[in-house]
Amino acid sequence: MSGSMAALPRQGIIILTYVLAALELTCLFMQFSILPYLSRTLGLDSVSFGYLQTTFGVLQLLGGPVFGRFADQCGARAALSLSFLAASALYLLLVASCSPALPGVFLLFASRIPSALMHTLPAAQMVITDLTAPTERPAALGRLGLCFGIGIIFGSLLGGTLNTAYGIQCPAILAFVVTLLGAVLSFTCVPATTKEASVQSAPQGGTKASVFDLKAITRLLLLPRVLPVFLVKVISGLPSGLFLVMFSIISMDFFQLEAAQAGYLMSFFGILQMMIQGLVIGRLSTHFPEEALLRSSVLVFAVVGLGMALMSSVLHFCFLMPGLVFSLCTLNVVTDSMLTKAVSASDTGTMLGLSASVQPLTRTLGPTLGGLLYRSYGVPIFGHVQLMVNLLVLLVLWKKPLSQKGEKAR
């Protein structure tokens, strides 16, 4: 590994990575909590707000794989520093959009541009992947769920509280300062690379491949042990992703919740995610093979889909949330672990970048497709789609196990 690794022990780098991920996610959810109110203040209607969200999703979708290549070639320090600097630029533009003297709508849309390089979570996953053994990887990646839960809970609470007490600019200013601090910590404390010298992307004396080499990215995605797992990740999680994208509207229209009540519900979601991804999945991964956990997540998705098709109140949804969170967390952690094991150590960053592009894909399709389904058929359609899609995925997994496909490929 890089000589700078000696400055901080391996376990110290892992802990610092968790801290950096928690800081960035807290800032991200602070931004999410004020964005609807800022959009309304600037006079945007729901359609324009949908365009804003879609812009964010498209840029993250396009930037994810390229950022992964950059992380593989330039190392963990450069990747984390770049991600935090991009986040700082986003929040600075967000602060500027709050000023009445400036063109707020233009700056609000311009603030989405740096999001193409905001990929702290995939960068953190790459560091964890590089510094843990394959057998420890699901548990170590699962602990990032604690960071995600912290981000949801504290980001949502801080965003709402600071907005009410000090104005809409305050959460954006705090996020700007925190992400600048994250960039400094990344540059000074994280080693230049966390990969072993024997697995660096550019061989000695060889020509370094371009970060924008789409052929290399596509080659990884089409590997026989990668494509089936990636398709399961996309297809199985898409119905619940559409529901979650539309959740802010569903909570107002269908559940009849006030903004504060919706915030409490999201905090409950965050607590469940912390408990399940941080504590439960790691233990399950030591007792059960990854493919069994993957099948169980798809099965629980189907059962929750049936419940969603029948639910009629927020209380019903609260009973369904543990199953929904379990499925989401297990699907993401297990597929990420399987995908990084399916490629060489020099390509883990690119693979995690591709994997991270699934969520932006949902955010891109969600406002249009989810809105169409919701307006045409109501909330039960999300449950029906989730049930049918995951039953089909489960049937395919049962008939053609992924491990069997991997063996044939080898």
Side-chain angles (χ1 to χ4, degrees):
M1 290 197 193
S2 168
S4 58
M5 181 72 79
L8 204 62
R10 182 183 296 254
Q11 194 59 34
I13 296 165
I14 291 174
I15 292 170
L16 175 63
T17 302
Y18 288 138
V19 171
L20 290 171
L23 286 174
E24 200 274 341
L25 289 164
T26 300
C27 294
L28 187 67
F29 281 99
M30 270 202 292
Q31 180 228 183
F32 287 157
S33 69
I34 66 167
L35 207 55
Y37 301 98
L38 178 57
S39 301
R40 187 183 301 169
T41 303
L42 294 173
L44 296 184
D45 57 17
S46 58
V47 175
S48 300
F49 182 69
Y51 292 149
L52 185 71
Q53 295 290 72
T54 300
T55 303
F56 184 82
V58 168
L59 287 168
Q60 285 230 304
L61 176 64
L62 296 175
V66 174
F67 182 88
R69 291 276 298 169
F70 175 83
D72 277 334
Q73 294 188 11
C74 300
R77 179 193 296 163
L80 283 167
S81 300
L82 177 64
S83 180
F84 274 107
L85 287 173
S88 299
L90 183 146
Y91 298 126
L92 184 61
L93 287 167
L94 205 59
V95 171
S97 71
C98 299
S99 173
L102 297 172
V105 174
F106 171 77
L107 288 170
L108 182 61
F109 274 90
S111 73
R112 305 300 92 187
I113 295 172
S115 65
L117 300 174
M118 277 176 59
H119 296 280
T120 302
L121 193 58
Q125 288 174 322
M126 186 193 80
V127 174
I128 301 299
T129 299
D130 290 342
L131 298 182
T132 54
T135 53
E136 301 169 351
R137 195 168 297 164
L141 290 173
R143 291 187 200 105
L144 280 171
L146 289 170
C147 305
F148 205 92
I150 289 168
I152 291 177
I153 295 166
F154 288 101
S156 302
L157 291 176
L158 277 172
T161 305
L162 293 174
N163 180 18
T164 303
Y166 302 106
I168 205 162
Q169 272 185 319
C170 187
I173 293 171
L174 178 61
F176 171 68
V177 173
V178 170
T179 48
L180 267 185
L181 174 64
V184 172
L185 287 172
S186 300
F187 190 75
T188 56
C189 301
V190 175
T193 181
T194 49
K195 297 183 185 296
E196 297 290 343
S198 59
V199 294
Q200 290 301 300
S201 293
Q204 254 187 334
T207 305
K208 201 169 187 177
S210 168
V211 167
F212 300 97
D213 187 353
L214 297 181
K215 285 185 179 178
I217 296 171
T218 307
R219 175 186 59 80
L220 275 187
L221 185 59
L222 296 178
L223 288 174
R225 295 178 62 208
V226 168
L227 188 59
V229 179
F230 190 81
L231 288 175
V232 169
K233 184 182 184 77
V234 173
I235 296 169
S236 182
L238 183 61
S240 60
L242 294 178
F243 174 81
L244 291 173
V245 165
M246 297 299 299
F247 184 74
S248 58
I249 294 173
I250 291 170
S251 63
M252 287 190 293
D253 296 348
F254 185 74
F255 294 140
Q256 299 290 306
L257 298 181
E258 300 292 333
Q261 293 171 322
Y264 296 145
L265 195 60
M266 287 308 295
S267 295
F268 178 51
F269 188 94
I271 291 168
L272 284 173
Q273 182 155 355
M274 285 177 67
M275 292 172 60
I276 292 172
Q277 193 165 332
L279 304 174
V280 175
I281 294 176
R283 294 184 180 182
L284 289 176
S285 66
T286 60
H287 294 93
F288 300 98
E290 288 177 335
E291 193 158 341
L293 291 176
L294 184 60
R295 282 200 295 263
S296 70
S297 72
V298 175
L299 176 61
V300 175
F301 260 139
V303 174
V304 170
L306 177 62
M308 285 168 60
L310 300 173
M311 72 179 177
S312 58
S313 72
V314 70
L315 181 62
H316 296 160
F317 182 62
C318 287
F319 286 127
L320 294 172
M321 277 181 80
L324 179 63
V325 175
F326 169 80
S327 295
L328 284 168
C329 293
T330 305
L331 179 73
N332 288 329
V333 171
V334 171
T335 51
D336 284 349
S337 177
M338 293 174 79
L339 288 169
T340 55
K341 291 175 185 176
V343 298
S344 66
S346 63
D347 290 321
T348 53
T350 307
M351 194 67 258
L352 287 166
L354 279 167
S355 186
S357 66
V358 174
Q359 193 176 14
L361 175 64
T362 306
R363 282 201 297 266
T364 303
L365 297 175
T368 304
L369 183 56
L372 181 63
L373 290 172
Y374 180 60
R375 282 195 302 271
S376 302
Y377 305 103
V379 172
I381 189 63
F382 295 104
H384 289 130
V385 172
Q386 184 165 312
L387 172 64
M388 297 308 298
V389 165
N390 281 281
L391 283 178
L392 287 172
V393 172
L394 188 63
L395 184 64
V396 171
L397 287 176
W398 217 273
K399 286 193 169 184
K400 296 181 179 179
L402 297 174
S403 57
Q404 199 176 82
K405 293 177 185 177
E407 290 299 324
K408 286 179 181 177
R410 283 193 295 273

